[in-house]
mmCIF file of all heavy atoms in Angstrom:
data_model
loop_
_atom_site.group_PDB
_atom_site.id
_atom_site.type_symbol
_atom_site.label_atom_id
_atom_site.label_comp_id
_atom_site.label_asym_id
_atom_site.label_seq_id
_atom_site.Cartn_x
_atom_site.Cartn_y
_atom_site.Cartn_z
ATOM 1 N N GLY A 701 73.775 -75.042 29.459
ATOM 2 C CA GLY A 701 75.053 -75.550 29.567
ATOM 3 C C GLY A 701 75.977 -75.287 28.443
ATOM 4 O O GLY A 701 77.015 -75.939 28.336
ATOM 5 N N LEU A 702 75.585 -74.522 27.476
ATOM 6 C CA LEU A 702 76.291 -74.344 26.132
ATOM 7 C C LEU A 702 77.259 -73.096 26.435
ATOM 8 O O LEU A 702 77.045 -72.280 27.276
ATOM 9 C CB LEU A 702 75.319 -73.942 25.099
ATOM 10 C CG LEU A 702 74.242 -75.187 24.773
ATOM 11 C CD1 LEU A 702 73.272 -74.541 23.647
ATOM 12 C CD2 LEU A 702 74.989 -76.332 24.226
ATOM 13 N N PRO A 703 78.268 -73.069 25.574
ATOM 14 C CA PRO A 703 79.202 -71.952 25.507
ATOM 15 C C PRO A 703 78.367 -70.651 25.341
ATOM 16 O O PRO A 703 77.336 -70.676 24.567
ATOM 17 C CB PRO A 703 80.186 -72.140 24.442
ATOM 18 C CG PRO A 703 80.085 -73.686 24.183
ATOM 19 C CD PRO A 703 78.637 -74.103 24.547
ATOM 20 N N ILE A 704 78.880 -69.584 25.971
ATOM 21 C CA ILE A 704 78.119 -68.289 25.811
ATOM 22 C C ILE A 704 78.164 -67.897 24.305
ATOM 23 O O ILE A 704 79.331 -67.759 23.774
ATOM 24 C CB ILE A 704 78.731 -67.204 26.771
ATOM 25 C CG1 ILE A 704 78.552 -67.574 28.226
ATOM 26 C CG2 ILE A 704 78.137 -65.913 26.474
ATOM 27 C CD1 ILE A 704 79.183 -66.648 29.154
ATOM 28 N N PRO A 705 77.033 -67.552 23.653
ATOM 29 C CA PRO A 705 77.175 -67.462 22.182
ATOM 30 C C PRO A 705 77.803 -66.078 21.875
ATOM 31 O O PRO A 705 78.160 -65.883 20.693
ATOM 32 C CB PRO A 705 75.662 -67.510 21.794
ATOM 33 C CG PRO A 705 74.837 -67.206 23.073
ATOM 34 C CD PRO A 705 75.756 -67.670 24.104
ATOM 35 N N LEU A 706 77.697 -65.111 22.808
ATOM 36 C CA LEU A 706 78.186 -63.814 22.524
ATOM 37 C C LEU A 706 78.900 -63.279 23.728
ATOM 38 O O LEU A 706 78.442 -63.406 24.875
ATOM 39 C CB LEU A 706 77.064 -62.802 22.197
ATOM 40 C CG LEU A 706 76.220 -63.043 20.822
ATOM 41 C CD1 LEU A 706 74.959 -62.013 20.808
ATOM 42 C CD2 LEU A 706 77.051 -62.698 19.675
ATOM 43 N N LEU A 707 79.925 -62.560 23.522
ATOM 44 C CA LEU A 707 80.878 -61.976 24.601
ATOM 45 C C LEU A 707 80.237 -60.685 25.009
ATOM 46 O O LEU A 707 79.514 -60.074 24.226
ATOM 47 C CB LEU A 707 82.203 -61.826 24.134
ATOM 48 C CG LEU A 707 83.109 -63.156 23.792
ATOM 49 C CD1 LEU A 707 84.491 -62.659 23.317
ATOM 50 C CD2 LEU A 707 83.161 -63.958 25.015
ATOM 51 N N PRO A 708 80.460 -60.159 26.122
ATOM 52 C CA PRO A 708 80.026 -58.798 26.626
ATOM 53 C C PRO A 708 80.179 -57.679 25.633
ATOM 54 O O PRO A 708 79.322 -56.926 25.315
ATOM 55 C CB PRO A 708 80.712 -58.619 27.986
ATOM 56 C CG PRO A 708 80.993 -60.037 28.451
ATOM 57 C CD PRO A 708 81.287 -60.777 27.236
ATOM 58 N N ALA A 709 81.416 -57.637 25.102
ATOM 59 C CA ALA A 709 81.788 -56.510 24.200
ATOM 60 C C ALA A 709 80.959 -56.624 22.995
ATOM 61 O O ALA A 709 80.451 -55.694 22.231
ATOM 62 C CB ALA A 709 83.229 -56.531 23.784
ATOM 63 N N GLN A 710 80.722 -57.903 22.513
ATOM 64 C CA GLN A 710 79.952 -58.032 21.182
ATOM 65 C C GLN A 710 78.314 -57.631 21.476
ATOM 66 O O GLN A 710 77.833 -57.009 20.605
ATOM 67 C CB GLN A 710 79.793 -59.571 20.787
ATOM 68 C CG GLN A 710 81.304 -60.066 20.445
ATOM 69 C CD GLN A 710 81.475 -61.452 20.297
ATOM 70 O OE1 GLN A 710 80.615 -62.214 20.582
ATOM 71 N NE2 GLN A 710 82.520 -61.884 19.597
ATOM 72 N N ILE A 711 77.852 -57.995 22.703
ATOM 73 C CA ILE A 711 76.687 -57.666 23.071
ATOM 74 C C ILE A 711 76.398 -56.034 23.111
ATOM 75 O O ILE A 711 75.452 -55.565 22.489
ATOM 76 C CB ILE A 711 76.154 -58.284 24.380
ATOM 77 C CG1 ILE A 711 76.198 -59.772 24.395
ATOM 78 C CG2 ILE A 711 74.721 -57.770 24.827
ATOM 79 C CD1 ILE A 711 75.975 -60.404 25.607
ATOM 80 N N LEU A 712 77.345 -55.464 23.659
ATOM 81 C CA LEU A 712 77.196 -54.018 23.822
ATOM 82 C C LEU A 712 77.422 -53.307 22.408
ATOM 83 O O LEU A 712 76.572 -52.426 22.142
ATOM 84 C CB LEU A 712 78.261 -53.371 24.652
ATOM 85 C CG LEU A 712 78.092 -53.820 26.144
ATOM 86 C CD1 LEU A 712 79.318 -53.536 26.915
ATOM 87 C CD2 LEU A 712 76.889 -53.015 26.839
ATOM 88 N N TRP A 713 78.130 -53.853 21.582
ATOM 89 C CA TRP A 713 78.219 -53.296 20.204
ATOM 90 C C TRP A 713 76.853 -53.405 19.362
ATOM 91 O O TRP A 713 76.489 -52.503 18.770
ATOM 92 C CB TRP A 713 79.450 -53.788 19.456
ATOM 93 C CG TRP A 713 79.665 -53.310 18.032
ATOM 94 C CD1 TRP A 713 79.267 -53.795 16.898
ATOM 95 C CD2 TRP A 713 80.315 -52.137 17.764
ATOM 96 N NE1 TRP A 713 79.684 -53.093 15.853
ATOM 97 C CE2 TRP A 713 80.243 -51.958 16.367
ATOM 98 C CE3 TRP A 713 80.864 -51.194 18.541
ATOM 99 C CZ2 TRP A 713 80.870 -50.750 15.826
ATOM 100 C CZ3 TRP A 713 81.365 -50.010 17.905
ATOM 101 C CH2 TRP A 713 81.358 -49.821 16.508
ATOM 102 N N ILE A 714 76.232 -54.552 19.521
ATOM 103 C CA ILE A 714 75.096 -54.843 18.871
ATOM 104 C C ILE A 714 73.966 -53.951 19.356
ATOM 105 O O ILE A 714 73.178 -53.322 18.629
ATOM 106 C CB ILE A 714 74.561 -56.306 18.921
ATOM 107 C CG1 ILE A 714 75.543 -57.236 18.321
ATOM 108 C CG2 ILE A 714 73.212 -56.550 18.523
ATOM 109 C CD1 ILE A 714 75.419 -58.668 18.545
ATOM 110 N N ASN A 715 73.984 -53.789 20.682
ATOM 111 C CA ASN A 715 73.003 -52.808 21.301
ATOM 112 C C ASN A 715 73.138 -51.470 20.837
ATOM 113 O O ASN A 715 72.118 -50.841 20.598
ATOM 114 C CB ASN A 715 73.138 -52.994 22.810
ATOM 115 C CG ASN A 715 72.064 -52.196 23.497
ATOM 116 O OD1 ASN A 715 70.858 -52.481 23.220
ATOM 117 N ND2 ASN A 715 72.565 -51.278 24.367
ATOM 118 N N LEU A 716 74.321 -51.009 20.670
ATOM 119 C CA LEU A 716 74.612 -49.596 20.284
ATOM 120 C C LEU A 716 74.267 -49.398 18.834
ATOM 121 O O LEU A 716 73.692 -48.268 18.468
ATOM 122 C CB LEU A 716 75.989 -49.127 20.686
ATOM 123 C CG LEU A 716 76.401 -49.043 22.170
ATOM 124 C CD1 LEU A 716 77.834 -48.931 22.424
ATOM 125 C CD2 LEU A 716 75.618 -48.038 22.910
ATOM 126 N N VAL A 717 74.812 -50.312 18.146
ATOM 127 C CA VAL A 717 74.719 -50.036 16.526
ATOM 128 C C VAL A 717 73.435 -50.508 15.980
ATOM 129 O O VAL A 717 72.779 -49.688 15.184
ATOM 130 C CB VAL A 717 75.925 -50.878 15.806
ATOM 131 C CG1 VAL A 717 75.724 -50.944 14.414
ATOM 132 C CG2 VAL A 717 77.237 -50.243 16.227
ATOM 133 N N ALA A 718 73.061 -51.705 16.398
ATOM 134 C CA ALA A 718 71.768 -52.203 15.662
ATOM 135 C C ALA A 718 70.402 -51.679 16.357
ATOM 136 O O ALA A 718 69.476 -51.926 15.777
ATOM 137 C CB ALA A 718 71.845 -53.814 15.726
#
Side-chain angles (χ1 to χ4, degrees):
L702 300 174
I704 296 175
L706 294 171
L707 296 175
Q710 296 169 349
I711 295 172
L712 289 167
W713 184 257
I714 293 170
N715 187 53
L716 294 175
V717 169

